[in-house]
Amino acid sequence: MTAAHTVLAFDFGLKRIGIASGDTLTRGATPRPAVTAGKSGPDWQAIAREVRALAPAQLVVGAPYNDDGSEGALAQAARRFAAELERRFALPVHLVDERYSSLEASAQLKARRASGARARRVQRADIDSAAAAVILGRWFAGEGKR
């Protein structure tokens, strides 16, 4: 039996980057607080805090594709972000198709809130991190593995 390893996933965006964590044993994904991104790029200090706190063995980044399978508008920026993660943290980084992850995450959050499990209104940052959890779930299911 192999040991469980922590994996961090990122839903890259130009304003926010959603983050989720999980492990290779349970294959569950849990949203973490999103970090901001701006004109100067991602909040690398906040990302580094997450990496230090969780000590992941691998990282996963959502790759934006269009409905027809062509690269989305943010594909190059997401790839640069993935390359920078790999450079900064010396960890393997995997890309996973993120199509519809935000829609899936939003629907999950709204359903949870409607069931009374969530008291506050769903925020955009909640959706971003829930989308990162969807992306991580896809990776656990075998998408984007080398």
Side-chain angles (χ1 to χ4, degrees):
M1 187 165 147
T2 58
H5 297 286
T6 300
V7 182
L8 270 185
F10 300 89
D11 178 34
F12 177 78
L14 297 176
K15 293 182 180 177
R16 281 172 311 281
I17 298 169
I19 302 175
S21 65
D23 68 74
T24 55
L25 181 64
T26 66
R27 296 175 163 238
T30 304
R32 307 277 303 167
V35 299
T36 59
K39 291 180 182 173
S40 60
D43 182 347
W44 288 109
Q45 289 181 339
I47 292 170
R49 280 192 298 275
E50 287 290 307
V51 170
R52 277 194 308 274
L54 298 171
Q58 302 180 70
L59 306 174
V60 175
V61 175
Y65 290 98
N66 295 317
D67 288 344
D68 65 3
S70 63
E71 287 194 343
L74 291 179
Q76 291 286 9
R79 225 184 333 285
R80 281 192 303 273
F81 174 71
E84 187 63 14
L85 283 170
E86 194 166 25
R87 186 189 75 74
R88 285 177 184 253
F89 304 111
L91 292 168
V93 178
H94 307 275
L95 294 171
V96 173
D97 186 345
E98 71 165 26
R99 271 182 283 193
Y100 309 113
S101 61
S102 292
L103 289 174
E104 189 176 327
S106 181
Q108 289 172 357
L109 290 171
K110 286 177 183 171
R112 194 174 306 141
R113 184 168 183 248
S115 73
R118 191 175 183 95
R120 68 180 177 88
R121 194 167 195 80
V122 173
Q123 303 294 313
R124 185 65 214 168
D126 298 330
I127 296 170
D128 293 333
S129 288
V134 168
I135 292 163
L136 185 52
R138 291 176 183 178
W139 186 81
F140 285 138
E143 292 181 36
K145 291 191 179 176
R146 294 179 193 168

